Amino acid sequence: MQECIIELNQISKAYRSRTVLHPIDLQLYRGEIFGLIGRNGAGKSTLLKLLGGLIYPTGGSMRLFERSTCEQRSLHERMGLLVENPGLYTQLSGFDNMELLADAYGMKARKPRIEELLDRVGLADSSRRKVKEYSLGMKQRLGIALALLGSPDVLVLDEPINGLDPQGIVDIRHLLLELNKTGLTIVIASHILEELSKMATRFGILHEGRMVEIVSRDELLQQCEQRIEIRLTEPEAAIPILEAELGIRRYKLLDSQLLQVYDEHAELYQIHAALVKGGVTVHGIARQQVSLEQYFLERTGSGGVRNA
Amino acid sequence: MLNILRMDFRRFRKNNMLPLLLAVFFAFQLFGIFMMSRYADSYSAGAGLGPGSLSASEFFQYMLAQPPSWMLLYVAVFTVHYTWSERSAGFYKNYISMRHARVSSVLAKALLLALFTLLLFVAAVAANALGRLLFFENAPTGELGQYALLLLLQFLLHWAFAVMMLFVALAARSLIAGLIIGLLLALNLVGYSLSALAALLLGEDGAGIASWWLVNRIVHPLELGQAGGADMLEPAIVALLFLLLFGAAGAVFRQREDLR
């Protein structure tokens, strides 16, 4: 059984009369990479700030590491945060920024730890340069190094690949996957779905302050997998025919009239012929595939047309 | 608390604006004394005395009482700049979720503002001493104990002003708003309004009440050495009151604030 380390119960946030987050229930487990998907203004950053203890909820409760944050606010210090832009003094060097934070943590033997982290994020050679001379990707990586300095249990990242070039995106992805392998739990918000799908093990879709859906990576990939959709009157009769005639084992019965077949080798005409031969009336048959974007758009009510 | 203080102190040491601000303050202070010496006749320290005949402590008070109070303006600008540089960089996001970090960061900044105020006083005392030596011949030193006491009281009052500004900087929604409020406070527009209102409502008794406003107390010359030390007690109480009030207000505000 996975250990639940973050538990949100009906947590909500409003600024005066404007509700930014409607009551949300969410459990996050140790060692997972949770991807938070949503359009700009969906409430992703607000949720991450709540997790990080930067803002206070207006309703609901939060448990971190099996303890309530109402009783112990310092539980938030076990989170490493990179929310919105990295918090950096641009007139100081990367090393100086790390050293400032090391002061706040009261770290004694800081130099080796700082150098190790800067090396890990690929900034060892430019650590003495002023941050204002850094590229966007370098700033993001320094932000991650800062978030890791306190050896957090959870890394909370908000759009860490925004504005990065393709190589920068790959570097960050490799870094995060590597960190996750060491047991670090990662919560990452992004609207770049394709990239998020390469890292996250579970996804939460946030829309207008509401958690619309929470789906595992396997479920998401299955939803987006290429399939054949068959509309027919007697699906129960069709299943034995497909198994016996075409050897199809992967299928899903969605309702009394819709059958989905996930078999890359099955051809439409073969299926149609086998069903007709078996006396099953077929109303329609088509190959379907939903892209990640379509899947997301459908759930956020923004339209999206399925490709035939 | 000590860790956050250590962090803020490191940032304070690396602040590029600090030496520049102190150098400019020193230079302008010296320039002010030079101008004073050139036009000594038009300056009057009361009872027909020119600034050259004042003791060190009287001269210091005389400089403070010249509107606008440059020292308050420098304190206001530095406090807003120092507080907002962290805010606009967003560096607080890296540490604010630590245990007691919100309150500690306010207290640490209050202590560093004491250090800044102290440096400003050192610059002012040095500029006054050098200026009087260069531009006023045979300027009397006066009683050193009284001078030290005056410096201590004025330091407390100015530090209290810095802590009040810290609260303003924390509560202000933008850097510009913080600076404008700071300038209005440093120029003592609030004090003048309070004095006028108190005089209007209470007549002569109003002056006593208005002197409890911090900036009025700073620009009003202290008459030290009076019987019973009454004139020493009132500014000390005003300073401590404002220190505690705005220090606590800043800490409570930071504790409850949503850091966006």
Side-chain angles (χ1 to χ4, degrees):
Chain A
M1 173 111 179
Q2 281 183 300
E3 183 193 352
C4 177
I5 53 173
I6 297 174
E7 191 178 351
L8 308 183
N9 298 311
Q10 292 291 295
I11 208 113
S12 63
K13 180 67 188 172
Y15 292 109
R16 294 200 175 97
S17 60
R18 192 168 62 93
T19 304
V20 186
L21 269 188
H22 295 276
I24 282 176
D25 290 315
L26 179 65
Q27 283 86 38
L28 299 179
Y29 302 96
R30 188 178 290 281
E32 75 171 330
I33 301 181
F34 186 83
L36 201 54
I37 312 169
R39 291 151 68 176
N40 293 335
K44 302 188 297 293
S45 299
T46 305
L47 184 56
L48 297 189
K49 284 178 185 174
L50 280 169
L51 286 177
L54 295 181
I55 58 175
Y56 295 94
T58 36
S61 63
M62 188 187 308
R63 288 176 70 80
L64 298 179
F65 312 100
E66 297 177 350
R67 271 178 281 174
S68 169
T69 53
C70 295
E71 295 156 17
Q72 209 177 336
R73 288 239 8 119
S74 60
L75 288 167
H76 290 288
E77 73 183 351
R78 291 170 68 178
M79 310 271 187
L81 295 185
L82 173 53
V83 180
E84 287 169 346
N85 305 314
L88 305 168
Y89 290 116
T90 51
Q91 76 280 13
L92 299 181
S93 70
F95 191 91
D96 286 343
N97 272 278
M98 295 287 282
E99 214 167 25
L100 277 177
L101 193 59
D103 276 336
Y105 279 116
M107 290 172 76
K108 295 279 181 261
R110 61 188 57 184
K111 207 176 169 206
R113 172 78 177 142
I114 293 174
E115 283 172 349
E116 179 214 325
L117 282 173
L118 288 172
D119 187 42
R120 191 163 200 177
V121 298
L123 290 175
D125 294 337
S126 37
S127 65
R128 301 289 173 178
R129 271 168 57 195
K130 286 190 175 179
V131 172
K132 64 182 173 191
E133 296 166 11
Y134 280 18
S135 67
L136 193 58
M138 290 165 84
K139 285 179 187 167
Q140 294 283 29
R141 279 184 278 155
L142 181 58
I144 293 175
L146 283 166
L148 291 171
L149 191 63
S151 306
D153 292 296
V154 180
L155 190 58
V156 177
L157 305 172
D158 189 10
E159 308 279 4
I161 50 175
N162 243 10
L164 299 190
D165 58 25
Q167 185 58 50
I169 292 174
V170 172
D171 290 346
I172 295 274
R173 188 206 309 151
H174 286 164
L175 173 66
L176 295 180
L177 289 173
E178 201 180 295
L179 289 168
N180 181 244
K181 276 185 196 160
T182 64
L184 188 69
T185 308
I186 300 174
V187 182
I188 176 168
S190 181
H191 58 259
I192 305 174
L193 307 180
E194 207 59 47
E195 192 50 41
L196 206 55
S197 71
K198 290 174 185 163
M199 290 186 270
T201 49
R202 222 152 52 96
F203 302 85
I205 299 176
L206 206 55
H207 180 58
E208 291 177 352
R210 288 185 171 84
M211 190 65 84
V212 182
E213 187 172 287
I214 295 172
V215 61
S216 73
R217 181 190 170 83
D218 290 344
E219 287 168 332
L220 181 71
L221 291 180
Q222 196 184 25
Q223 293 282 344
C224 298
E225 196 177 2
Q226 196 183 66
R227 58 184 180 260
I228 295 167
E229 286 192 357
I230 312 163
R231 297 212 161 266
L232 65 185
T233 43
E234 298 165 274
E236 293 82 5
I239 289 169
I241 298 169
L242 294 176
E243 285 180 345
E245 297 288 321
L246 301 170
I248 289 171
R249 295 280 179 273
R250 291 179 62 222
Y251 51 81
K252 195 194 256 180
L253 188 58
L254 285 192
D255 56 47
S256 63
Q257 292 196 324
L258 184 63
L259 183 69
Q260 288 183 336
V261 173
Y262 302 94
D263 193 318
E264 290 172 10
H265 307 295
E267 294 293 340
L268 293 181
Y269 73 90
Q270 289 176 320
I271 293 174
H272 188 253
L275 290 175
V276 171
K277 191 178 155 193
V280 177
T281 310
V282 177
H283 298 301
I285 181 165
R287 206 174 276 281
Q288 302 279 7
Q289 182 169 24
V290 181
S291 69
L292 285 169
E293 278 80 8
Q294 283 170 328
Y295 182 85
F296 167 71
L297 291 172
E298 280 173 16
R299 265 127 199 98
T300 55
S302 311
V305 181
R306 290 184 172 201
N307 288 339
Chain B
M1 163 70 193
L2 278 178
N3 292 336
I4 303 279
L5 178 63
R6 207 170 287 132
M7 177 190 71
D8 259 326
F9 182 63
R10 187 186 293 273
R11 184 163 76 94
F12 185 81
R13 277 194 295 127
K14 288 181 180 285
N15 192 308
N16 294 332
M17 195 177 165
L18 179 67
L20 184 74
L21 213 59
L22 289 173
V24 170
F25 175 74
F26 182 84
F28 270 90
Q29 191 83 355
L30 212 55
F31 180 70
I33 297 169
F34 167 70
M35 293 303 285
M36 210 178 272
S37 71
R38 291 292 300 270
Y39 302 99
D41 295 343
S42 58
Y43 285 90
S44 170
L49 293 171
S53 60
L54 300 175
S55 68
S57 82
E58 287 167 336
F59 188 80
F60 195 88
Q61 298 212 72
Y62 179 65
M63 291 294 280
L64 283 180
Q66 300 295 314
S69 169
W70 286 103
M71 209 178 259
L72 290 183
L73 286 170
Y74 278 80
V75 168
V77 169
F78 181 79
T79 307
V80 175
H81 157 77
Y82 187 74
T83 310
W84 267 86
S85 62
E86 182 186 72
R87 196 156 156 177
S88 51
F91 194 83
Y92 62 87
K93 290 185 283 189
N94 297 315
Y95 71 86
I96 209 75
S97 54
M98 288 177 198
R99 193 185 301 260
H100 308 308
R102 287 175 182 249
V103 172
S104 298
S105 79
V106 175
L107 297 181
K109 281 178 184 59
L111 288 175
L112 285 169
L113 288 173
L115 181 58
F116 173 73
T117 310
L118 184 68
L119 290 173
L120 214 53
F121 267 69
V122 170
V125 168
N128 282 2
L130 187 64
R132 277 155 55 85
L133 186 74
L134 293 177
F135 309 123
F136 291 104
E137 286 175 17
N138 304 320
T141 307
E143 201 185 321
L144 281 177
Q146 202 175 44
Y147 190 30
L149 187 62
L150 167 86
L151 289 176
L152 178 69
L153 283 173
Q154 282 295 354
F155 166 76
L156 272 177
L157 288 164
H158 279 77
W159 181 28
F161 178 78
V163 171
M164 182 166 76
M165 278 311 305
L166 175 62
F167 172 72
V168 168
L170 288 171
R173 285 275 160 243
S174 72
L175 172 71
I176 301 295
L179 277 175
I180 290 172
I181 297 171
L183 294 181
L184 293 178
L185 286 171
L187 294 171
N188 201 22
L189 292 186
V190 177
Y192 294 143
S193 311
L194 272 177
S195 302
L197 195 68
L200 205 66
L201 296 174
L202 303 165
E204 283 184 10
D205 296 339
I209 290 174
S211 70
W212 286 87
W213 171 248
L214 180 67
V215 186
N216 276 347
R217 196 64 268 180
I218 290 172
V219 297
H220 183 262
L222 303 173
E223 289 167 22
L224 300 174
Q226 293 238 325
D231 205 42
M232 197 176 83
L233 197 63
E234 193 187 301
I237 291 172
V238 170
L240 289 175
L241 262 178
F242 273 78
L243 260 176
L244 291 174
L245 181 70
F246 284 97
V252 169
F253 183 84
R254 200 75 206 261
Q255 184 65 32
R256 295 182 178 179
E257 188 188 13
D258 274 336
L259 293 159
R260 298 196 195 188

